[in-house]
Amino acid sequence: MVQVQPSLELYEGAGYDDAIFVGTYTCPSDVDPDCPFICSTLSECDACGCFVVDEEGGPWGDAMDVIMCLLPIIFLLGVTLKPNPLPTTVSLPAAAMMMLLVRVMYLGSDPTLSCGAIISGFHEALSPLTIMFGAIALFETMEATLCLPYMMREMKSLTEGHIVAELMLIFAFAYMIEGASGFGTPVALGAPMLVSLGHDKFGSIVTLLVMNTFATVWGAAGTPIWFGLGNISGLSEDDFVEVSFKAGVCLTFAAYLILPTLVLPILCPVQELKKNFLFIILSLTSVMGPVLVMSFFTYEFPSLIGGMLGCIISAVLIRFRVGLKEYSHPTNERHLKISTTSSSHGLVSSLRPDDPLFAAVQNNCDKNSDDLKECVDNDEDVEEEHSPENGTDASISEESYNVDSKDVEVLEDADQVLASINSVEAALGPRKSFAEGYLKELIGRTFPIWGTVLLLILTRVEQIGLKGLLIKRSPYFEIAFGTYGKFRLSASLVFQLIDILTHPDLSWKYELLYVPFIIPFVLVSIITMIIYRSDLQARPKEIFGTCLVRLKKPAIALLGALALVQLMIKEGPAAPADIIGTVLSQALKEGWIAFAAIVGTLGSFFSGSTTISNLTFGGIQEIAAKSIGTSVSSMLALQATGASAGNGVCLNNIISACTVVGLDISEGKIIRKTFKPVLAIDILATVIMLAFFFRF
């Protein structure tokens, strides 16, 4: 888009598609050349189609344009990663405000567009917030109905507490969930499961964040490719598949090199990884092999099919101990923690060996070994949770372990813990044999997981036909809210806000039945409560109330994050993201390839989505590829791979995971742990693409 000085000359003979330009306004009408001069009200402009054309860049040149547009991102990185970081409830809204000032004070953006972008961002925050609510509700329900303790007990029985087996099984499970849903759901589901198995919260979140980086290219049935790159003109279905398999090659190589060396050691001792290397390779192949093969034929199902096959094959490998060596449990390891989250109705507290409460529990265990055999074993000591700084879980306050408490109080607390453990065991009962109905109980108690996956598949795979029904935007009824926008609600409960602040390029939609909120999370939670209502340890009101309480702080951070995203990407060549990409790609020429994956990662970092990163920078990557005369599909594959890796440092995912497991910790501490494997994926992907695919 170019800036045109006030003139009528363009109308005579030629022009921008026969449009009439007057200053920063254009009118597509070719009927009345005086139209831009005589329109004096919004309704008149709306009738003839006049709209504002933003200038590209500010008054101080391209280099300063890039610096100014990057300033809020640099600020955000600085205050997030510094030793005493600002909370995201402060830093993200502040970064959004900085971007607004850059747009209106330096770039001279249309104030209507800029303010409308903020409103759009506030509305967009509804999607991640409701997804988080649903994920928390599901796991609170699983805990309160004893389904989670049952599943953790069965997983422990399958893996026999083998840490390598647990990690690879969770990796396959998260991969499958990503293929079905996306939207950060694998981290929200997988991290609490690792915590439930006895791993510390911080390490569990970091591990799941990085595990998820290998799958999101094909998340939600390929949405980052078919939708994220769908706005690039000239791309065909064959081009999408080509992007898919090139990204698949990069991520497969990365998974084999990075998962065993940089990801699994977060929770697992290196010596255990060496002893069980054969199992790791076999389990990893059961996931990445099908992913690589499928990526040559489709861009929709690699993650889903690879994850499903990986879960089945990994379970078989674990059952028959293929490649698994005997695991010696450390003396300070806690093998089972029933309470996954920080809610007040957790069933079993997390104990430490140096806690006086632990000693009291241990003594009582000796007296009640028959009753407590499953949950508290004399040979299974309690693991200390670690944080990266002081070796203690950041969510546990010093007051929680006050050694100055009176002995009688300690014993009373110990009795309460033992009572909780006994109540869990009494409710679950001993493990059943097949003749006693083991299979029926297994299917019922695991319903929250397989029911969620089933509903995700049914509503995401287009060939089934439900997806189209859930996202239909018509028929609808419409209400005009003045200059705020036109509100629409369709028969499929798709909420829309059109022409926000009268700007034709600003709109918002929320697909209530398609976003993973009511379907599947809330629906599965309610069904589970009904099935196991006799086992409920908390009332439904308390469960959903806990979800709302834990969303207070994340809501503020996400409102700031999504406002920043919209200010970055709206709208067209005058958007800051577009300016950054265009200027840098033109300046760096072939050197742009070295930064292409990092640009994709940066997009996911601030936007919270592989899809949005591809939407934001996909067009820039295409321009860069054409300008240096190389393969467009290769450049787009590098963008998609970098965007997928960026989920490891994505603020939205980090906030969501911390909220779901109940960990109160700075996002910067997590990013400092995930940054290395994310950067390694970017570098490795770039090397692979240069070696095999780029041709000049």
Side-chain angles (χ1 to χ4, degrees):
M1 196 77 72
V2 295
Q3 171 69 16
V4 182
Q5 298 299 322
S7 173
L8 293 179
E9 295 177 2
L10 279 176
Y11 179 72
E12 298 177 1
Y16 185 76
D17 294 334
D18 293 328
I20 302 168
F21 291 89
V22 176
T24 57
Y25 292 86
T26 181
C27 181
S29 172
D30 58 357
V31 176
D32 185 0
D34 295 326
C35 173
F37 294 100
I38 61 176
C39 282
S40 58
T41 65
L42 290 172
S43 59
E44 290 177 350
C45 287
D46 187 54
C48 67
C50 283
F51 59 91
V52 177
V53 179
D54 281 333
E55 294 187 57
E56 297 178 33
W60 297 343
D62 289 346
M64 201 62 192
D65 289 350
V66 171
I67 293 173
M68 294 298 289
C69 290
L70 284 175
L71 197 58
I73 303 299
I74 295 171
F75 163 79
L76 186 60
L77 287 170
V79 300
T80 301
L81 301 178
K82 70 186 184 75
N84 295 309
L86 281 177
T88 50
T89 52
V90 176
S91 61
L92 283 168
M97 180 57 68
M98 289 180 64
M99 183 59 73
L100 174 64
L101 295 177
V102 168
R103 290 197 63 145
V104 298
M105 296 178 69
Y106 176 75
L107 297 177
S109 298
D110 174 23
T112 301
L113 173 62
S114 300
C115 294
I118 295 176
I119 294 175
S120 176
F122 288 167
H123 285 80
E124 293 290 349
L126 184 62
S127 291
L129 284 172
T130 51
I131 293 169
M132 289 163 60
F133 180 95
I136 296 170
L138 178 65
F139 271 87
E140 290 288 337
T141 300
M142 289 168 62
E143 183 181 334
T145 57
L146 304 182
C147 289
L148 187 59
Y150 175 86
M151 283 187 277
M152 296 304 101
R153 187 178 72 176
E154 293 305 308
M155 186 175 288
K156 279 294 181 184
S157 177
L158 174 65
T159 64
E160 295 182 358
H162 201 298
I163 187 171
V164 178
E166 292 172 355
L167 290 174
M168 294 309 299
L169 200 56
I170 292 293
F171 172 72
F173 173 77
Y175 220 100
M176 175 180 65
I177 295 298
E178 177 62 39
S181 177
F183 296 99
T185 310
V187 180
L189 285 174
M193 293 181 71
L194 278 178
V195 174
S196 299
L197 289 169
H199 302 291
D200 69 88
K201 295 177 181 179
F202 179 85
S204 298
I205 291 173
V206 171
T207 299
L208 259 297
L209 283 168
V210 182
M211 282 182 173
N212 198 41
T213 60
F214 302 104
T216 65
V217 166
W218 310 281
T223 300
I225 292 180
W226 65 261
F227 183 74
L229 301 177
N231 63 331
I232 300 175
S233 60
L235 290 185
S236 64
E237 287 289 311
D238 291 339
D239 293 323
F240 287 155
V241 173
E242 191 171 347
V243 171
S244 171
F245 85 76
K246 288 179 178 180
V249 170
C250 292
L251 290 173
T252 300
F253 270 97
Y256 278 102
L257 293 177
I258 294 172
L259 192 72
T261 57
L262 295 178
V263 183
L264 298 182
I266 296 170
L267 290 176
C268 182
V270 175
Q271 60 268 27
E272 293 298 330
L273 296 176
K274 291 179 179 178
K275 287 196 308 184
N276 298 278
F277 187 72
L278 176 60
F279 170 78
I280 293 172
I281 294 301
L282 291 175
S283 180
L284 188 55
T285 302
S286 72
V287 177
M288 299 310 299
V291 166
L292 183 59
V293 172
M294 292 292 296
S295 69
F296 278 79
F297 304 101
T298 176
Y299 52 85
E300 293 179 309
F301 303 121
S303 287
L304 183 59
I305 300 299
M308 290 178 65
L309 292 176
C311 285
I312 296 170
I313 296 173
S314 293
V316 172
L317 293 173
I318 295 169
R319 174 66 180 82
F320 294 100
R321 292 300 186 263
V322 179
L324 277 178
K325 303 299 181 182
E326 185 177 352
Y327 177 57
S328 300
H329 302 291
T331 57
N332 68 333
E333 182 174 355
R334 181 181 67 245
H335 288 288
L336 182 61
K337 185 174 74 171
I338 302 299
S339 179
T340 314
T341 66
S342 61
S343 63
S344 58
H345 55 272
L347 299 175
V348 178
S349 300
S350 301
L351 303 180
R352 304 189 312 178
D354 59 339
D355 183 6
L357 193 59
F358 173 77
V361 174
Q362 190 79 351
N363 291 333
N364 275 287
C365 284
D366 295 333
K367 301 175 183 178
N368 303 279
S369 57
D370 291 337
D371 293 334
L372 306 178
K373 187 175 180 180
E374 293 288 345
C375 284
V376 180
D377 193 299
N378 290 329
D379 294 330
E380 295 181 354
D381 293 329
V382 181
E383 177 188 18
E384 178 178 353
E385 294 190 357
H386 296 283
S387 77
E389 291 186 354
N390 56 15
T392 304
D393 188 284
S395 67
I396 302 173
S397 63
E398 295 179 1
E399 290 79 8
S400 300
Y401 299 102
N402 185 358
V403 296
D404 294 327
S405 300
K406 296 180 181 179
D407 291 341
V408 63
E409 293 175 349
V410 171
L411 291 174
E412 287 176 356
D413 290 340
D415 289 339
Q416 291 175 6
V417 173
L418 288 168
S420 295
I421 297 172
N422 274 317
S423 67
V424 172
E425 285 302 295
L428 288 176
R431 297 185 72 238
K432 297 179 180 179
S433 64
F434 276 92
E436 295 171 332
Y438 171 79
L439 192 58
K440 179 181 179 181
E441 184 179 31
L442 178 67
I443 293 173
R445 291 288 185 185
T446 58
F447 166 73
I449 295 298
W450 65 257
T452 297
V453 174
L454 178 62
L455 285 175
L456 287 171
I457 293 173
L458 290 175
T459 55
R460 264 62 187 169
V461 179
E462 289 199 51
Q463 288 80 353
I464 295 176
L466 289 178
K467 178 180 177 180
L469 296 176
L470 298 180
I471 63 176
K472 286 185 66 174
R473 304 186 193 181
S474 60
Y476 62 85
F477 75 86
E478 181 177 299
I479 301 175
F481 289 124
T483 58
Y484 189 77
K486 302 171 185 174
F487 173 78
R488 293 177 181 175
L489 177 61
S490 75
S492 297
L493 299 183
V494 176
F495 295 79
Q496 297 181 79
L497 190 62
I498 309 297
D499 298 341
I500 297 175
L501 298 189
T502 72
H503 200 288
D505 293 324
L506 289 178
S507 61
W508 163 80
K509 74 175 186 300
Y510 178 74
E511 297 157 339
L512 180 63
L513 300 181
Y514 182 72
V515 171
F517 166 43
I518 292 179
I519 302 175
F521 291 137
V522 173
L523 179 60
V524 170
S525 297
I526 293 173
I527 294 174
T528 304
M529 290 178 194
I530 294 173
I531 295 174
Y532 295 104
R533 56 189 177 277
S534 61
D535 293 336
L536 272 175
Q537 306 294 307
R539 293 178 300 173
K541 181 180 179 181
E542 294 175 344
I543 293 174
F544 291 119
T546 298
C547 300
L548 291 174
V549 169
R550 290 170 58 186
L551 284 178
K552 287 182 179 179
K553 288 185 178 179
I556 298 172
L558 286 173
L559 287 171
L562 272 297
L564 174 63
V565 170
Q566 295 300 310
L567 286 167
M568 283 285 294
I569 67 176
K570 298 294 184 183
E571 178 68 42
D578 210 281
I579 291 172
I580 293 169
T582 302
V583 172
L584 290 180
S585 64
Q586 291 175 352
L588 294 172
K589 303 297 182 183
E590 287 84 356
W592 172 261
I593 294 175
F595 298 95
I598 296 176
V599 168
T601 298
L602 181 65
S604 293
F605 165 74
F606 70 74
S607 72
S609 165
T610 303
T611 301
I612 295 179
S613 179
N614 288 348
L615 276 170
T616 304
F617 294 116
I620 304 304
Q621 303 280 14
E622 180 202 25
I623 293 171
K626 290 181 177 179
S627 67
I628 62 179
T630 191
S631 167
V632 171
S633 64
S634 297
M635 192 72 82
L636 293 177
L638 202 51
Q639 156 65 33
T641 303
S644 184
N647 280 263
V649 292
C650 163
L651 289 173
N652 288 6
N653 287 354
I654 294 172
I655 294 169
S656 174
C658 289
T659 303
V660 171
V661 304
L663 179 62
D664 185 12
I665 193 172
S666 162
E667 290 79 7
K669 291 182 179 180
I670 294 177
I671 291 175
R672 283 197 291 271
K673 292 289 288 186
T674 60
F675 175 74
K676 289 181 180 179
V678 166
L679 183 61
I681 294 172
D682 285 344
I683 294 173
L684 188 59
T686 303
V687 171
I688 292 171
M689 295 299 293
L690 283 170
F692 294 103
F693 298 117
F694 277 116
R695 297 292 182 268
F696 300 98

